[in-house]
Amino acid sequence: MAGVPFDVVKPLETVQTAAAARELILRRDEFVACAAEVAWFLESRGRELSKELFRAWKKVIRHGSLPPSQPSLDVFEKCRECQFKVSLAEARFQECIHSELAQARSALLESAAKILPAYLVFADAGMRDRLGHQLSSAIPPSRNKEARAHERHLLLYLQRVSAKNDSLSAFGPEDWGKVGNVESDIRLSPKLGISQRETFLERWTAHAAAAAINNDPDGKLKIEVPALEPYAFEVVCNDVRKWPASPVRDKWLSVLQPIAELPN
């Protein structure tokens, strides 16, 4: 079975940052409500203030600038308090995101180094080379636009592997099935990592070889690819070996045998 536990995604969480972001959104919404009350006050009773205070509070509700210390009316005190809570929430959010982002990046690169190489057999050379170069350093690189895009790719790879739906990898093809409570002679004994390897040529290689042999004008015997046979190329090679000794047999064995050795 290909894939890894969801545990590899756990260190990538930014729980505190998410909580701080929700708190910041809440505090900003509160400030917007308070600013609306101040706007209504300025519109209805702004004549009671001096021009300087009126303009200063206008800047507060329009641009979020620092409120003046006077006057001490309830509507203004509430707005000052809301803005102060916004500033605290922003500071908390910045603190969390810088701390957790650094931890998540390190965990991402560490997990990618351990897990992804076995799944990159079909990745382009650029991805493999960059992954190897980036993971050679214990310190994550500067997080520019290119680095962010690359890390998103790594994260998507890890999510896919954790979801157990990546069958094109060093683990080869996989099957799906259902295990119930019925007694069976089948016993599952999963092991960590790769417990055993087997490499063989796919069936299309046998069909390609048979087509070439059957189109040989010098040939006298025809080749058929057996159905439902995973080692079809090996069967084709054995059939050719059984031919009587002849230049045609020697020619095709000289072509087929080097290919048959490739899995080794």
Side-chain angles (χ1 to χ4, degrees):
M1 176 182 291
V4 295
F6 281 103
D7 297 349
V8 300
V9 183
K10 187 72 174 177
L12 309 181
E13 295 179 348
T14 53
V15 179
Q16 295 181 2
T17 301
R22 290 192 293 268
E23 177 72 13
L24 178 57
I25 292 173
L26 176 63
R27 297 309 177 189
R28 284 178 174 174
D29 289 343
E30 292 176 348
F31 176 75
V32 169
C34 291
E37 294 179 7
V38 172
W40 179 86
F41 180 89
L42 294 177
E43 183 178 351
S44 61
R45 300 176 55 186
R47 293 185 300 273
E48 301 175 11
L49 304 177
S50 65
K51 290 183 179 181
E52 291 76 13
L53 281 175
F54 184 86
R55 292 171 180 171
W57 279 104
K58 277 290 187 181
K59 290 182 179 179
V60 172
I61 62 177
R62 289 178 178 175
H63 309 294
S65 58
L66 291 176
S69 58
Q70 295 297 329
S72 58
L73 298 175
D74 289 344
V75 65
F76 295 129
E77 288 296 333
K78 185 179 179 181
C79 189
R80 290 192 192 97
E81 182 180 355
C82 287
Q83 191 179 55
F84 178 69
K85 290 180 178 179
V86 169
S87 63
L88 291 180
E90 288 178 342
R92 173 61 178 166
F93 174 74
Q94 292 297 329
E95 177 186 356
C96 290
I97 194 171
H98 287 300
S99 174
E100 288 193 318
L101 180 60
Q103 296 175 8
R105 293 185 68 205
S106 297
L108 173 63
L109 297 179
E110 181 180 357
S111 297
K114 293 179 179 179
I115 297 169
L116 292 186
Y119 289 86
L120 294 179
V121 292
F122 292 100
D124 59 82
M127 172 61 77
R128 293 195 299 270
D129 294 342
R130 179 169 183 177
L131 181 61
H133 175 72
Q134 194 174 52
L135 299 179
S136 61
S137 174
I139 303 176
S142 300
R143 197 164 189 264
N144 52 26
K145 180 179 179 180
E146 187 178 5
R148 288 196 297 269
H150 181 63
E151 289 170 6
R152 282 195 297 270
H153 275 91
L154 297 182
L155 180 59
L156 290 174
Y157 271 120
L158 282 179
Q159 288 177 329
R160 179 171 181 172
V161 171
S162 297
K164 311 293 192 302
N165 66 350
D166 195 339
S167 59
L168 296 179
S169 67
F171 297 93
E174 59 188 37
D175 287 332
W176 293 91
K178 183 178 180 180
V179 180
N181 296 324
V182 181
E183 288 293 328
S184 173
D185 293 334
I186 298 177
R187 295 292 182 266
L188 301 180
S189 180
K191 297 180 181 180
L192 183 64
I194 300 175
S195 60
Q196 183 178 351
R197 285 189 185 274
E198 182 181 24
T199 307
F200 54 89
L201 296 171
E202 292 185 350
R203 286 179 50 82
W204 68 265
T205 58
H207 284 285
I213 294 173
N214 293 336
N215 289 328
D216 186 355
D218 297 330
K220 297 180 180 179
L221 300 176
K222 297 301 178 180
I223 291 291
E224 293 184 359
V225 179
L228 304 178
E229 171 57 59
Y231 308 100
F233 192 90
E234 184 176 336
V235 173
V236 170
C237 288
N238 289 332
D239 287 345
V240 174
R241 292 189 186 100
K242 295 176 182 178
W243 288 359
S246 67
V248 174
R249 174 182 180 274
D250 295 340
K251 180 183 72 172
W252 282 110
L253 283 180
S254 67
V255 174
L256 297 178
Q257 286 180 339
I259 299 177
E261 293 296 325
L262 290 177
N264 296 328

